[in-house]
Amino acid sequence: MDHRDASAVLGPGGLRLRRWREEDLPALLEAYEDPAMRRWLATQVSGADGAADWLEAQRRGWATGTRFAFAVTETVDGDWPDGGPVGAPLGNIVLKRPDPRSDCSEVGYWTTAAARGRGVASRALTALTDWAFAEFAEQGLARLELLHQVDNEASCRVAEKCGYALARVIPALPPDYPLDGHVHVREAPSVALSRPAGRRAEAAGTGGGRASGR
């Protein structure tokens, strides 16, 4: 499958990742009204024009092969507390690949307030991780990184649940990054298996020394 033509990626528990659509704009705006989104995300979306610009940025990412953003949905009725419809976005999950020649890319995600507490983030991250390593194996993708602010304990749990080990801590850079950050790393299966047993254990147990720069 050509990643540029990918229409959907199926994940565990009836999850489906698909490209964002024009009809998702109201759901996108509603998601960004959540205080947690305003707290944790560096990029903010407000107003119809802002939502349209965000959607266009995701389209450009797919077109240039540098950013692959998926709306996280479900293929079956979920137990939404507010009765949300099937196919409505539960969140966003993205693979950031600004340099296709690099063996490392970054992943990121957010979930709507109504979707939290149902394992959506970990299921979506699992699906994206498997897709990324399969789709970009021939380009030499060997490592995925997930970054979050040090006090975002929920993201830390999601990363570790999905096999992203804490690799290092990066220092704060106020005012944009007021606190230190965690960098979690997941290696491609072929890379992890090629390491000697001792090296694998060492990598998995890295405590996260401070990096010299962000």
Side-chain angles (χ1 to χ4, degrees), residues 139-212:
Q139 293 186 20
L141 179 63
R143 188 172 76 258
L144 294 174
E145 294 186 345
L146 186 153
L147 287 69
H148 66 82
Q149 194 165 279
V150 68
D151 58 340
N152 191 339
E153 296 178 359
S155 282
C156 214
R157 290 192 296 269
V158 168
E160 292 174 347
K161 183 177 181 179
C162 295
Y164 284 74
L166 178 60
R168 64 186 187 277
V169 175
I170 50 179
L173 286 176
D176 293 336
Y177 302 98
L179 298 178
D180 291 352
H182 279 180
V183 179
H184 293 261
V185 172
R186 170 88 179 259
E187 292 183 330
S190 59
V191 175
L193 289 174
S194 68
R195 290 186 182 276
R199 291 281 306 279
R200 288 201 296 271
E202 179 183 350
T206 299
R210 291 182 66 91
S212 59

